[in-house]
Each structure stands twice: as C-alpha cells, then as structure tokens.
Short mmCIF file of all heavy atoms in Angstrom, two decimals:
data_model
loop_
_atom_site.label_atom_id
_atom_site.label_comp_id
_atom_site.label_asym_id
_atom_site.label_seq_id
_atom_site.Cartn_x
_atom_site.Cartn_y
_atom_site.Cartn_z
N VAL A 1 15.26 25.73 -10.99
CA VAL A 1 14.45 26.96 -10.80
C VAL A 1 13.14 26.61 -10.08
O VAL A 1 12.70 27.32 -9.17
CB VAL A 1 14.20 27.65 -12.13
CG1 VAL A 1 13.05 28.65 -12.06
CG2 VAL A 1 15.44 28.35 -12.65
N ALA A 2 12.52 25.52 -10.46
CA ALA A 2 11.28 25.07 -9.84
C ALA A 2 11.51 24.81 -8.36
O ALA A 2 10.69 25.21 -7.49
CB ALA A 2 10.72 23.87 -10.52
N CYS A 3 12.60 24.10 -8.01
CA CYS A 3 12.94 23.84 -6.60
C CYS A 3 13.16 25.14 -5.85
O CYS A 3 12.73 25.31 -4.70
CB CYS A 3 14.15 22.92 -6.51
SG CYS A 3 13.87 21.24 -7.04
N ALA A 4 13.89 26.09 -6.47
CA ALA A 4 14.17 27.37 -5.82
C ALA A 4 12.85 28.12 -5.56
O ALA A 4 12.68 28.77 -4.51
CB ALA A 4 15.08 28.20 -6.67
N PHE A 5 11.92 28.08 -6.52
CA PHE A 5 10.62 28.75 -6.33
C PHE A 5 9.87 28.10 -5.19
O PHE A 5 9.29 28.81 -4.36
CB PHE A 5 9.80 28.64 -7.64
CG PHE A 5 8.37 29.02 -7.48
CD1 PHE A 5 8.02 30.31 -7.20
CD2 PHE A 5 7.38 28.07 -7.61
CE1 PHE A 5 6.66 30.70 -7.07
CE2 PHE A 5 6.05 28.40 -7.46
CZ PHE A 5 5.66 29.69 -7.16
N VAL A 6 9.86 26.80 -5.12
CA VAL A 6 9.16 26.09 -4.03
C VAL A 6 9.74 26.52 -2.68
O VAL A 6 9.02 26.71 -1.70
CB VAL A 6 9.23 24.57 -4.25
CG1 VAL A 6 8.71 23.83 -2.99
CG2 VAL A 6 8.44 24.13 -5.46
N ARG A 7 11.06 26.62 -2.59
CA ARG A 7 11.67 27.06 -1.33
C ARG A 7 11.28 28.54 -1.06
O ARG A 7 11.10 28.92 0.13
CB ARG A 7 13.18 26.94 -1.38
CG ARG A 7 13.72 25.55 -1.24
CD ARG A 7 13.26 24.90 0.04
NE ARG A 7 13.75 25.67 1.21
CZ ARG A 7 12.98 25.98 2.29
NH1 ARG A 7 11.70 25.59 2.35
NH2 ARG A 7 13.47 26.66 3.27
N GLN A 8 11.20 29.34 -2.10
CA GLN A 8 10.87 30.75 -1.92
C GLN A 8 9.51 30.92 -1.28
O GLN A 8 9.26 31.86 -0.50
CB GLN A 8 10.93 31.49 -3.26
CG GLN A 8 10.79 32.99 -3.14
CD GLN A 8 10.77 33.70 -4.51
OE1 GLN A 8 11.03 33.11 -5.50
NE2 GLN A 8 10.40 34.95 -4.50
N ILE A 9 8.58 30.01 -1.60
CA ILE A 9 7.23 30.08 -0.97
C ILE A 9 7.13 29.23 0.26
O ILE A 9 6.04 28.91 0.74
CB ILE A 9 6.12 29.72 -2.00
CG1 ILE A 9 6.32 28.30 -2.53
CG2 ILE A 9 6.05 30.73 -3.13
CD1 ILE A 9 5.14 27.82 -3.38
N ASP A 10 8.33 28.85 0.79
CA ASP A 10 8.39 28.17 2.11
C ASP A 10 7.73 26.81 2.11
O ASP A 10 7.12 26.40 3.07
CB ASP A 10 7.81 29.04 3.19
CG ASP A 10 8.30 28.70 4.60
OD1 ASP A 10 9.46 28.21 4.70
OD2 ASP A 10 7.61 28.90 5.59
N LYS A 11 7.93 26.08 1.02
CA LYS A 11 7.54 24.67 0.93
C LYS A 11 8.77 23.81 0.76
O LYS A 11 9.88 24.33 0.48
CB LYS A 11 6.52 24.45 -0.19
CG LYS A 11 5.23 25.19 -0.07
CD LYS A 11 4.33 24.64 1.02
CE LYS A 11 2.96 25.30 1.06
NZ LYS A 11 2.12 24.79 2.15
N LEU A 12 8.61 22.51 0.85
CA LEU A 12 9.69 21.55 0.75
C LEU A 12 9.66 20.87 -0.61
O LEU A 12 8.72 20.11 -0.90
CB LEU A 12 9.60 20.48 1.85
CG LEU A 12 9.66 21.00 3.30
CD1 LEU A 12 9.37 19.88 4.25
CD2 LEU A 12 10.99 21.66 3.62
N PRO A 13 10.60 21.14 -1.48
CA PRO A 13 10.63 20.52 -2.79
C PRO A 13 11.19 19.08 -2.77
O PRO A 13 12.20 18.82 -2.16
CB PRO A 13 11.55 21.43 -3.62
CG PRO A 13 12.46 22.04 -2.63
CD PRO A 13 11.75 22.10 -1.30
N LEU A 14 10.52 18.16 -3.42
CA LEU A 14 10.99 16.82 -3.60
C LEU A 14 11.06 16.50 -5.06
O LEU A 14 10.02 16.34 -5.73
CB LEU A 14 10.06 15.81 -2.92
CG LEU A 14 10.44 14.34 -3.10
CD1 LEU A 14 11.75 13.99 -2.41
CD2 LEU A 14 9.35 13.43 -2.66
N PRO A 15 12.25 16.38 -5.65
CA PRO A 15 12.38 16.00 -7.08
C PRO A 15 11.90 14.56 -7.27
O PRO A 15 12.30 13.64 -6.59
CB PRO A 15 13.87 16.16 -7.36
CG PRO A 15 14.41 17.06 -6.29
CD PRO A 15 13.57 16.74 -5.08
N VAL A 16 11.00 14.37 -8.25
CA VAL A 16 10.47 13.05 -8.60
C VAL A 16 10.48 12.89 -10.13
O VAL A 16 10.47 13.89 -10.86
CB VAL A 16 9.06 12.81 -8.03
CG1 VAL A 16 9.10 12.84 -6.52
CG2 VAL A 16 8.06 13.81 -8.57
N ARG A 17 10.42 11.66 -10.59
CA ARG A 17 10.31 11.39 -12.01
C ARG A 17 8.86 11.50 -12.45
O ARG A 17 7.94 11.41 -11.64
CB ARG A 17 10.83 10.02 -12.34
CG ARG A 17 12.34 9.93 -12.47
CD ARG A 17 12.78 8.51 -12.85
NE ARG A 17 11.97 8.01 -13.94
CZ ARG A 17 11.55 6.75 -14.09
NH1 ARG A 17 11.88 5.86 -13.19
NH2 ARG A 17 10.84 6.38 -15.13
N SER A 18 8.64 11.69 -13.74
CA SER A 18 7.30 11.77 -14.28
C SER A 18 6.76 10.32 -14.49
O SER A 18 7.25 9.59 -15.32
CB SER A 18 7.32 12.51 -15.61
OG SER A 18 6.05 12.49 -16.23
N ALA A 19 5.79 9.98 -13.70
CA ALA A 19 5.09 8.70 -13.79
C ALA A 19 3.80 8.81 -13.07
O ALA A 19 3.65 9.67 -12.19
CB ALA A 19 5.92 7.56 -13.18
N PRO A 20 2.78 8.03 -13.40
CA PRO A 20 1.47 8.16 -12.78
C PRO A 20 1.50 8.16 -11.28
O PRO A 20 2.06 7.26 -10.62
CB PRO A 20 0.67 6.93 -13.35
CG PRO A 20 1.37 6.61 -14.62
CD PRO A 20 2.79 6.95 -14.42
N GLY A 21 0.94 9.21 -10.66
CA GLY A 21 0.87 9.33 -9.20
C GLY A 21 2.13 9.87 -8.55
O GLY A 21 2.16 10.12 -7.36
N PHE A 22 3.23 9.96 -9.37
CA PHE A 22 4.53 10.38 -8.83
C PHE A 22 4.84 9.54 -7.62
O PHE A 22 4.77 8.34 -7.69
CB PHE A 22 4.52 11.90 -8.51
CG PHE A 22 3.97 12.73 -9.70
CD1 PHE A 22 2.99 13.63 -9.49
CD2 PHE A 22 4.47 12.52 -10.98
CE1 PHE A 22 2.49 14.39 -10.53
CE2 PHE A 22 3.95 13.26 -12.03
CZ PHE A 22 2.96 14.19 -11.81
N LEU A 23 5.23 10.13 -6.46
CA LEU A 23 5.52 9.31 -5.28
C LEU A 23 4.33 9.24 -4.37
O LEU A 23 3.82 8.15 -4.06
CB LEU A 23 6.73 9.94 -4.53
CG LEU A 23 7.00 9.25 -3.16
CD1 LEU A 23 7.56 7.81 -3.38
CD2 LEU A 23 7.96 10.05 -2.30
N VAL A 24 3.85 10.42 -3.90
CA VAL A 24 2.90 10.42 -2.78
C VAL A 24 1.55 9.74 -3.16
O VAL A 24 1.08 8.86 -2.45
CB VAL A 24 2.65 11.86 -2.28
CG1 VAL A 24 1.54 11.91 -1.28
CG2 VAL A 24 3.95 12.40 -1.72
N ASN A 25 0.93 10.17 -4.25
CA ASN A 25 -0.34 9.56 -4.61
C ASN A 25 -0.16 8.07 -4.99
O ASN A 25 -1.07 7.27 -4.77
CB ASN A 25 -0.96 10.31 -5.81
CG ASN A 25 -1.53 11.63 -5.39
OD1 ASN A 25 -1.72 11.91 -4.18
ND2 ASN A 25 -1.81 12.52 -6.36
N ALA A 26 0.98 7.73 -5.50
CA ALA A 26 1.21 6.34 -5.90
C ALA A 26 1.32 5.43 -4.70
O ALA A 26 0.93 4.24 -4.75
CB ALA A 26 2.49 6.26 -6.73
N VAL A 27 1.81 5.94 -3.58
CA VAL A 27 1.88 5.09 -2.36
C VAL A 27 0.59 5.09 -1.57
O VAL A 27 0.25 4.14 -0.87
CB VAL A 27 3.10 5.47 -1.45
CG1 VAL A 27 4.39 5.44 -2.23
CG2 VAL A 27 2.85 6.80 -0.78
#
C-alpha cells in the first residue's frame, strides 16, 4: 500500500530494510 501511494503521488518507491540511514543517507 505504501509503494502504491508513493506511485500515486508520482514518486519512485524503493523498498528498503529498517536500519540506520536506510540506503541513501547511509551511503
């Protein structure tokens, strides 16, 4: 549902695990 909502507002959803910084901030 969260991914569908993100697409509805014309953004790109990227599923990630819960961990500090996730993907983007962590890199």
